[in-house]
Every structure is written in structure tokens, then in C-alpha cells.
Amino acid sequence: KKDRLEKLEGIGFTFKRLNQCPRVSEPQSDQYYNVQKENGPISCNVNDEAVAQSPTEHDQTTVVLNNKTKKTGVRSWDDLFQELVEYKNVHSHMNVPYMVGQLGKWVRDQRIQFRLLSEGKHSSLTKDRLEQMKGIGFDFQVCIARLPWETRYRELIDFRNIHGHTRVPHKSGTLGNWVNFQQQEFRLRNQGKRSSLTDCRFLKLENIGFFNLASWDSRFQELLDFKNVHGHTNVPRRSGPLSAWVEIQHSGFRLLVQGKTSLLTTEKRRKLESIGLIFKILPPRVPWETRLQELVKFKKVHGHMRVPLKNSEQLYRWVDTQRHAYRLLQMGKSCSLKKDRLEKLEGIGFTFKRLNQCPRVSEPQSDQYYNVQKENGPISCNVNDEAVAQSPTEHDQTTVVLNNKTKKTGVRSWDDLFQELVEYKNVHSHMNVPYMVGQLGKWVRDQRIQFRLLSEGKHSSLTKDRLEQMKGIGFDFQVCIARLPWETRYRELIDFRNIHGHTRVPHKSGTLGNWVNFQQQEFRLRNQGKRSSLTDCRFLKLENIGFFNLASWDSRFQELLDFKNVHGHTNVPRRSGPLSAWVEIQHSGFRLLVQGKTSLLTTEKRRKLESIGLIFKILPPRVPWETRLQELVKFKKVHGHMRVPLKNSEQLYRWVDTQRHAYRLLQMGKSCSLKKDRLEK
């Protein structure tokens, strides 16, 4: 986290491994590393006699150690720069393919370092190097060039002419990688997903027998049989080779329409049409700006932007797509709604939230219209300026006047639910209403969500007056929504077992069914060695009432004995089946015994397990972050550097490696344990 990051930086810790510096298993007082982070690349000095660039820069490193000079096999930045100049003289460009030797990787690294420099992050691309690269006309924004598709295709044809097939081994180099990529794109295409394998490319590869598909006549007969059974030729997607073949015919037809070469001859097309296969021509994609103009016209005519599905399906779908993209944008995910498009939509008064409580008018009249405004308070939706409705997330009761008739929805008002919360507090002495306890639970959760949006500076239905009301009764917005305690659900499950004789609660039977399903999910996570809320104590309680339907203890013990006879030990690998889960249960029971808690692992069972060689391990207590930091400081004082060796200081070495990994996550904008104060330290 931030605090950890600050602490590490405060003691001069470096987050990049300096692999070119020699690893000293037993550092001496007269040999030390001095790592400094300057404006240029990271420098690594041993006795102030050796200077090495950052390992990402492909530099040649010279290190003086015990009066011996050692050179690594990495070439210097200037050598690779000179090679790039020579490459430009020969090829007239500098888009070196990544797979073309060390130069390709170096060129890619320069673009990566330039991007880091542009984002204000630490970069090995110094000012002098940047000027050198710009001086030869290097373009940092161009993607690294790869060999054209047609070139690889001709290589594949040559391979087929020599070997008689197109099964290029994956380990045979760049052509093998290319062939593997085409097969991946073919699978994506068959699944209806986005693929770089266009119709033209697909048919070229099919023509040389790349996909090893069945003959056209045999597939046609399959389609005929499909029609005789189902009465149509609409083969569902992802239903096997036949659906892929039908899609190929449609691709061939589209190529014919475009005037390109196609393997779908006139005779084949007539045969397909004779059994009822309809070739559809996809309409051209309508530009985003055109749809925006359509929405503006719709608003001028109807006075609102509530596009109905019935008469304007295409525009309705487009509007729905914009709302979905806006939700993705709020979650910080990639979407098609860029800044300029967002400003244009906001400029015409477009609302990104559906106002479901407002009546849908299939044929709006001139005297009935929606006026949607986004203010500091909740979204208001007025019909003839006589009806006021709150945001649908607020569970408010809505009154709408339409054709002089008053209609009330079944949603209760904010004030009613607020009053109910006050009464709930008087009875229970708290306001942590469980989510599943009626409409009040959902409303309480929504208030916390709206408060979080308000804190982030986003639009929220929690107005100033409402916020003061909630604070006036002592409502805590930071407390997680309370759920029924685990023990309460466990007692409900015992009651269910006493009545029905088993613990197989149906999933659709309500909250207890959901809870039982959740425990099974947590059990699976626990067996996979992942983080789970199913603690040892909870697990043993559920096992005691036969929840997991596990085999008897003696039968599992016999399995473990058989495992030992075969393998010579009792270290059953994790995720290897029920036996590994059972062994983990025994370890959990032992840990409970050590903690002085109730456990199903009796003394007799423990002795039986130890008699066949099962070793119970007590996990060591977790060392605090601050303690490890102090160990690192002491290590630096003794050795003069922070290159902790794995051999003699394994725990500290692992901790240092964890900090570097967390720093990389932080640079990528991901969540990690390295906070600001730690980074400074």
C-alpha cells in the first residue's frame, strides 16, 4: 500500500532486480552495492568501479569484482541504436518486428519506456536518448510491424508443397506460431466472437486444406438431414462442425456480393437455396453521429428521449448501448463512450439512467411529454409538470397524472422508509438492517451506495436534506449491511435436518437455500487452496451433521494408507481429489486442538495418523510488515546493499520479492498491499 511504498523508498529500496550485478552469497564489507535512482537509468556500482544500465535496456554490463572484469551478454544501448540506424538504411523504416532478434525487443522497449515517460512514471529513456531517437525520425506511436498475412500464407503453401500437409509444429518457429494463431482465430470465429480471420482469409486457408473440414457434399447431406428432423436450416451457432460449415457458406456469399473471389459456386448456391437456406446480406453499419442526429430529431418531435422499442427498434438498441457503455465507464472499464461522445450526449440533455417508474407512452402526444433534468438532487421526471418521481433506486412512491387520471406505483416513498428505519432502531437499537429483510433492507443498502457515489463526486440521489436527516438519527454509512449470523443459519439447517432427515436444502427455497449453496461454494474454494470464509471451526461443525456427505473416517484413513504404500509418503497433493480434502480437514482439526478449541480430531485418530507418518505442522505466526522492514534496514547496515540472498535469508528474501511484485501492481494501477506510507519508508 501507499504507506509501505513510502517506507521502502525512504530507505532507498529499489523495485527492479539488477540481474546484471553479480549475486554475492556471502557479501564482504569491502564489496557492496550502491543503488541510486536518478533522472537517468538506474545505476549499480560495485566499489564505484562498475556502471550498469537498467536491465530492460539491453546494455552491456562491466562489473569489477576481486580485480576481475566480467561482461554479460547484453549489448549496450548505443550499439543497438547504431544497428537501428543501419536497419533504417536497408529497409527505409524502423518498424522492426518483435521476433527479429534482439533489435526487435529493444525497439519495443523504447516504445514502452516512452509511454512510461509520457505518463510521468520512471523511465530509462533519458532526455539525450529521446533526442537521439527523434533525430533519426523514430515514431514512438507506431505499433511494431509484423510480417504481412499474405507472406505467412505463402510460407505455409511452400511448407505444404514440401511436406504434403499444413500441420506445422508449434515449436518450429514463427510459422508455427502463426499457424497456431490462425487456429485460435478460427475457433473464435466459430463461436461468433470477434476474429481477425476474415471471410477472404478463411476461404484461402480452407482452399489448401488447412482446417481439415469434411467435403462439401457430406456437409450438405448433414444439412439436409438436419432439415428433415427440425423442418428448417437455421443451425444454431456453436452447435458443432455443421454450424461452422453453414457460416462458411454465408461468408462465401458475402464475398460474392462484394465482387470478390469465393469458393461458393453458382451451382452450390442453388443447391443450398433449393433446401431452404436463406442468404442474408448484412446491412451497413450506421455511424454513431447518424444515430445521434436521429435521437435529436426524435426529441424535437416527441419532446423526450424515451425511444420505444416497437416503432424504432434500431434507435432503441443504440440508446440502450449508450447507457450500458456509461455504466462500464463509471466502473472504470473500457467502453466505446469516449469523452467527446459523452459531451455530445450530455449537450442534448440525454439521461444515462432508465426512469422505469415513468409511464411508457407508445404513441406520445404533443400535450404529454417527459422533461428529464439532472440537478443536484435526485433525477426528476415530469409529465405535464404535474407528476414528480424520485430516482428508481430510492424506493419512492410515484404519482403520475396522465389524461387527468392519477396512478400510483407500488414503490414506497423515501420519507415512509425513513420513518420505518427510525421505528426499526427503536426496537433493535441499531440500523444495520439485513438486506434480505424486506424493502427496508434494500433501501438501507441503497442509501449507503448513494453516499459512496456522493463521496466520489458522482451523481447521487442523496440530497443535502436527506443526508442531514440520516446523520440526525445516527445512521452509519460506512458499516457493511448486516446479514443473519452464521450460527443462526447453522441452527436453521439443523432444524431442517431434524424435519427432513437430510441437509439438501433446495436452492429455490429462500434464504436458507442460498446460504447452503454459498457454503458449498466456499467448501470448493477451500479444497482448491483458495481464500474461503469456511473456517476450520465452521467446516467441522458442518461435517459433524453430514453436510458434505464425505466418506467415513476409517475409509479415508485406509485410502491414505494405500496412498503411502504406493508413493512411500503421506504428502497428498492439493486439488487431487477427496483424499487431499480429507487430509486438509485433519490438519484443520489439529490446529483447532492447538488453539484449545473443540475439534473432531480425537487423540486416538491423531495417534493413528502419526503412526503412518502424517506430520502435523503448526503454522508460524505472521511477521508484521514493520518487523521485516527493520530486518532489511539491519541487513543494509551490515552488507551495504539490499540484495538479500535466498540461501541464508529466505524469509526476508521472499518479503523483498513481495514488495517488488506489489510495486509492479501499483504501477499498473491495480490494487496491492503497498500503500503510500510504506512506499515512502
Side-chain angles (χ1 to χ4, degrees), residues 167-181 184:
R167 298 185 300 276
V168 184
H170 181 60
K171 296 180 180 179
S172 63
T174 51
L175 182 60
N177 294 332
W178 182 83
V179 164
N180 184 55
F181 180 72
Q184 291 174 9

Side-chain angles (χ1 to χ4, degrees), residues 91-213:
H91 299 88
S92 303
H93 67 83
M94 288 175 284
N95 297 325
V96 187
Y98 176 68
M99 295 178 183
V100 180
Q102 195 174 356
L103 182 63
K105 295 179 178 63
W106 181 82
V107 166
R108 185 195 66 167
D109 284 343
Q110 303 315 302
R111 291 193 166 103
I112 291 171
Q113 296 300 323
F114 178 77
R115 189 176 70 247
L116 291 173
L117 190 67
S118 304
E119 294 171 358
K121 297 179 181 178
H122 175 70
S123 168
S124 62
L125 193 65
T126 60
K127 189 176 180 181
D128 294 337
R129 291 181 176 181
L130 182 62
E131 289 175 357
Q132 280 184 271
M133 297 295 283
K134 288 183 176 179
I136 60 171
F138 185 79
D139 190 355
F140 288 98
Q141 305 298 336
V142 175
C143 295
I144 299 165
R146 296 178 183 272
L147 289 177
W149 193 90
E150 294 293 336
T151 306
R152 291 293 184 206
Y153 178 69
R154 287 193 293 272
E155 287 181 19
L156 182 62
I157 292 174
D158 295 339
F159 181 92
R160 189 193 64 163
N161 294 337
I162 296 170
H163 300 90
H165 62 83
T166 58
R167 298 185 300 276
V168 184
H170 181 60
K171 296 180 180 179
S172 63
T174 51
L175 182 60
N177 294 332
W178 182 83
V179 164
N180 184 55
F181 180 72
Q182 304 311 308
Q183 291 165 345
Q184 291 174 9
E185 294 299 298
F186 175 68
R187 287 193 290 272
L188 290 174
R189 179 188 172 96
N190 284 351
Q191 294 168 8
K193 297 179 181 178
R194 188 174 181 180
S195 168
S196 64
L197 196 64
T198 60
D199 297 339
C200 185
R201 290 180 177 181
F202 175 82
L203 294 171
K204 281 186 175 182
L205 289 170
E206 187 199 13
N207 198 27
I208 61 172
F210 180 78
F211 299 110
N212 197 23
L213 302 174

Side-chain angles (χ1 to χ4, degrees), residues 21 41 90 129 154 179 245 350 390 415 427 500 518 536:
C21 298
V90 175
R129 291 181 176 181
R154 287 193 293 272
V179 164
W245 180 82
F350 183 77
Q390 302 297 343
D415 293 322
V427 174
H500 299 90
F518 180 72
D536 297 338

Side-chain angles (χ1 to χ4, degrees), residues 199 233-235 237 246-247 249-258 264 269 272-273 276-284:
D199 297 339
T233 56
N234 300 323
V235 184
R237 274 194 169 183
V246 170
E247 179 59 30
Q249 310 314 306
H250 285 290
S251 300
F253 178 74
R254 287 194 290 271
L255 287 174
L256 280 177
V257 171
Q258 295 168 13
L264 185 68
R269 178 185 169 187
L272 290 167
E273 289 177 339
L277 186 67
I278 301 171
F279 292 103
K280 293 181 180 180
I281 301 175
L282 298 175

Side-chain angles (χ1 to χ4, degrees), residues 459-503:
H459 175 71
S460 170
S461 62
L462 193 65
T463 60
K464 189 177 180 180
D465 294 336
R466 291 181 177 180
L467 182 62
E468 289 176 357
Q469 280 183 271
M470 296 296 283
K471 288 182 177 179
I473 60 171
F475 184 79
D476 189 356
F477 288 99
Q478 304 298 337
V479 176
C480 295
I481 299 163
R483 296 178 182 273
L484 288 179
W486 193 92
E487 294 293 336
T488 306
R489 290 294 184 205
Y490 177 69
R491 288 193 293 271
E492 287 182 17
L493 182 62
I494 292 175
D495 295 338
F496 181 91
R497 190 193 62 165
N498 294 337
I499 296 170
H500 299 90
H502 61 83
T503 58

Side-chain angles (χ1 to χ4, degrees), residues 210-251:
F210 180 78
F211 299 110
N212 197 23
L213 302 174
S215 66
W216 196 92
D217 292 320
S218 62
R219 289 294 182 213
F220 178 79
Q221 187 59 43
E222 281 186 43
L223 184 61
L224 193 59
D225 296 340
F226 181 91
K227 185 190 176 183
N228 295 334
V229 174
H230 299 90
H232 61 81
T233 56
N234 300 323
V235 184
R237 274 194 169 183
R238 308 184 192 182
S239 59
L242 182 59
S243 64
W245 180 82
V246 170
E247 179 59 30
I248 291 165
Q249 310 314 306
H250 285 290
S251 300

